Amino acid sequence: MTRPTDPKRIRRNRNNVLGLLLAAFVILVFFISLAKMG
């Protein structure tokens, strides 16, 4: 059994959150540039 405070799991969760934030930021910039062009 793995403990809930497993460093690997915590690191993977942090990477997932960072990836989601990065994707959301890219989408936000994309929509802002679309609004400025349109």
Side-chain angles (χ1 to χ4, degrees), residues 15-29:
N15 281 347
N16 285 346
V17 170
L18 280 179
L20 282 175
L21 282 177
L22 189 64
F25 179 72
V26 169
I27 291 172
L28 191 67
V29 169

Side-chain angles (χ1 to χ4, degrees), residues 31-38:
F31 276 118
I32 288 175
S33 60
L34 268 185
K36 282 185 177 179
M37 285 181 187

